[in-house]
């Protein structure tokens, strides 16, 4: 019989990707809410989105076999609520929040893997005495701050001085409630311990600075079995916090990856996470040979889909769909046409600027054809301000992404340079 899978925020490109998965011959994919509502905005009215999604599902004349998504907040936090109501497989809201509520997540990690986490504390950015309270928690400069519900790299800051903290606090106070208020609605649906309920959606985390070679372990849990299936390196631009490219498969030593996978099995089992995909970001401090766990994300990384398809033969949306239908994921390995693959981020390091020129669709197609199998997405158009872009880090703007594969990493980097030579962006009204 045909299965009906509802995908929150489904767009045309991902609809094509899903149809290339294994075992979907009898699956019909249905969009649930639009990308404009859930990912192309910073205004998240979760009660309204849930109401609209439920109205669509209630009106559907057929079986509802799976409700899935591959997008971060707010989609990730809406899925357990929708799946529970309609009886489809998904992780519990409480287990999900043990990952997504950054303070609760660190508290749980402290119980199971204390040697792999930094010092941390929660603070209220609207508290004028927050900096002194952070000091009382034995955190000294430098440290890092971010919302307790982060969304991408947005509103994350390295703090080296009181002036840095004042700058971060100003930004946090201005923007934190766009995440905090909708997250509070999600928290109100969950059974929380009192000490976690006291850390509200607008709170932030202060953490000891950790670092090293960064990577992401992709995995899933099916019927209690934790299965890591790939490690992707996260390469930053020199001397800054912004990502340059994601590389798959990882170039880290095998023993380091094996240890990360062991930590992954330990923490996800301890949390009680089940029947859903996830990824965990790690650092390996090569000098101290120490592994740090940065954070847990409760969905596959959409940026990595093309990388898995190029190297392994299928997007790891395979994991999302199979788990949504209650079956063990059929994820291949090494069956793709490339040995390595990457997503590159073309960035500009301005405070703000206006786009004076962006490449046309035809120019993007020509650039893509420079290296077979390349996909380019430009995020800007002529006349827009860079500050209009959603989900940006605090130090740069990603104006385009380039996905490509190759036989080896050095060839991949050379190919990227050839492609970017064909794309011309220009800016005015630059704020340095």
């Amino acid at each position: 019989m045909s299965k009906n899978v509802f995908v929150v925020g489904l767009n045309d490109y991902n609809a094509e990707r899903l149809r290339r998965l294994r075992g979907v011959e009898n699956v019909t994919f249905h969009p649930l809410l639009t990308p404009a509502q859930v990912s192309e905005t910073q205004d998240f009215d979760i009660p309204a989105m849930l109401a609209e999604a439920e109205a669509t599902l209630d009106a559907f004349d057929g079986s509802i076999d799976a409700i899935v998504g591959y997008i971060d907040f707010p989609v990730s936090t809406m899925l357990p609520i929708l799946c529970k109501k309609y009886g489809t497989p998904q992780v519990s809201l409480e287990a999900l929040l043990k990952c997504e509520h950054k303070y609760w997540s660190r508290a749980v990690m402290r119980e199971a893997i204390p040697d792999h986490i930094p010092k941390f504390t929660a603070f209220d950015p609207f508290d004028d005495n927050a900096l002194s309270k952070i000091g009382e928690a034995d955190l000294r400069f430098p440290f890092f701050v971010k919302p307790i519900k982060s969304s991408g790299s947005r509103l994350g800051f390295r703090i080296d001085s009181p002036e840095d903290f004042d700058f971060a606090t100003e930004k946090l106070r201005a923007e934190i409630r766009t995440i905090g208020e909708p997250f509070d609605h999600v928290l109100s649906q969950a059974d929380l311990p009192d000490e976690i309920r006291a850390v509200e959606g607008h709170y932030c985390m202060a953490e000891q600075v950790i670092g090293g070679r960064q990577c992401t372990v992709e995995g899933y849990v099916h019927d209690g079995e934790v299965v890591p299936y790939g490690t992707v390196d996260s390469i930053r631009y020199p001397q800054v916090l912004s990502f340059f490219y994601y590389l798959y498969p990882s170039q880290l030593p095998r023993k380091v990856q094996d240890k990360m996978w062991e930590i992954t099995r330990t923490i996800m089992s301890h949390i009680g996470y089940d029947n859903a995909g996830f990824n965990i970001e790690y650092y390996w401090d090569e000098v101290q040979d120490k592994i740090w766990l940065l954070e847990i994300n409760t969905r596959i990384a959409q940026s990595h889909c093309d990388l898995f398809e190029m190297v392994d033969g299928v997007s790891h949306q395979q994991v999302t769909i199979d788990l949504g239908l209650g079956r063990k994921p059929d994820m291949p390995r090494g069956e793709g046409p490339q040995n390595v693959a990457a997503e590159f981020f073309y960035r500009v390091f301005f405070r703000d600027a206006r786009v004076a020129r962006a490449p046309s669709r035809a120019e993007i197609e020509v650039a893509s054809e420079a290296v077979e199998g390349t996909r380019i997405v430009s995020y800007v158009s002529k006349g827009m301000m860079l500050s209009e872009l959603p989900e940006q880090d605090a130090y740069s703007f990603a104006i385009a992404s380039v996905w490509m594969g190759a036989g080896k990493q050095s060839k991949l980097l050379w190919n990227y340079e050839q492609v970017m030579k064909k794309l011309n962006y220009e800016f005015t009204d630059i704020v340095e």
Side-chain angles (χ1 to χ4, degrees), residues 168-182:
T169 298
E170 181 182 354
K171 291 282 190 181
L172 289 163
R173 289 178 176 179
E175 300 180 37
I176 191 71
R177 294 200 187 278
T178 61
I179 301 174
E181 290 181 1

Side-chain angles (χ1 to χ4, degrees), residues 308-328:
F308 279 97
E309 188 162 11
M310 290 178 195
V311 174
D312 291 334
V314 68
S315 161
H316 66 154
Q317 285 164 317
Q318 186 77 49
V319 167
T320 299
I321 302 306
D322 283 342
L323 289 171
L325 290 168
R327 59 197 190 192
K328 184 176 176 67

Side-chain angles (χ1 to χ4, degrees), residues 68-102:
V68 302
Y70 41 78
I71 301 170
D72 199 359
F73 186 78
V75 174
S76 56
T77 48
M78 292 165 58
L79 286 173
I81 298 171
L82 290 169
C83 291
K84 183 177 181 180
K85 179 171 181 177
Y86 293 94
T88 62
Q90 178 59 229
V91 66
S92 72
L93 181 58
E94 286 74 19
L96 177 135
L97 288 172
K98 286 179 184 178
C99 305
E100 293 221 1
H101 187 300
K102 298 308 177 190

Side-chain angles (χ1 to χ4, degrees), residues 233-304:
D233 288 338
S234 303
I235 314 296
R236 296 182 185 272
Y237 280 85
Q239 308 303 316
V240 294
L241 293 172
S242 302
F243 291 119
F244 178 20
Y245 63 102
Y246 298 143
L247 177 70
Y248 179 68
S250 171
Q251 304 300 299
L252 292 175
R254 187 68 254 176
K255 66 171 186 171
V256 174
Q257 295 186 54
D258 289 344
K259 181 61 178 178
M260 289 176 176
W261 286 25
E262 178 188 326
I263 297 167
T264 296
R265 295 185 189 98
T266 299
I267 188 59
M268 299 313 285
S269 296
H270 182 71
I271 286 170
Y273 196 89
D274 204 1
N275 297 317
F278 66 86
N279 66 71
I280 302 183
E281 297 174 52
Y282 287 100
Y283 286 114
W284 176 46
D285 183 330
E286 198 169 359
V287 175
Q288 299 184 58
D289 192 22
K290 185 175 180 65
I291 293 172
W292 297 101
L293 194 158
L294 178 58
E295 64 181 20
I296 305 171
N297 300 302
T298 58
R299 37 99 190 136
I300 64 163
Q302 191 178 171
S303 284
H304 298 163

Side-chain angles (χ1 to χ4, degrees), residues 6-7 38 45 70 90 95 111 129 131 139 202 273 294 313 320 330 372 419 425:
F6 288 82
V7 185
V38 300
D45 187 344
Y70 41 78
Q90 178 59 229
E111 298 168 357
N129 296 315
L131 185 57
L139 277 166
H202 70 273
Y273 196 89
L294 178 58
T320 299
D330 180 19
E372 185 179 354
V419 168
Y425 291 90

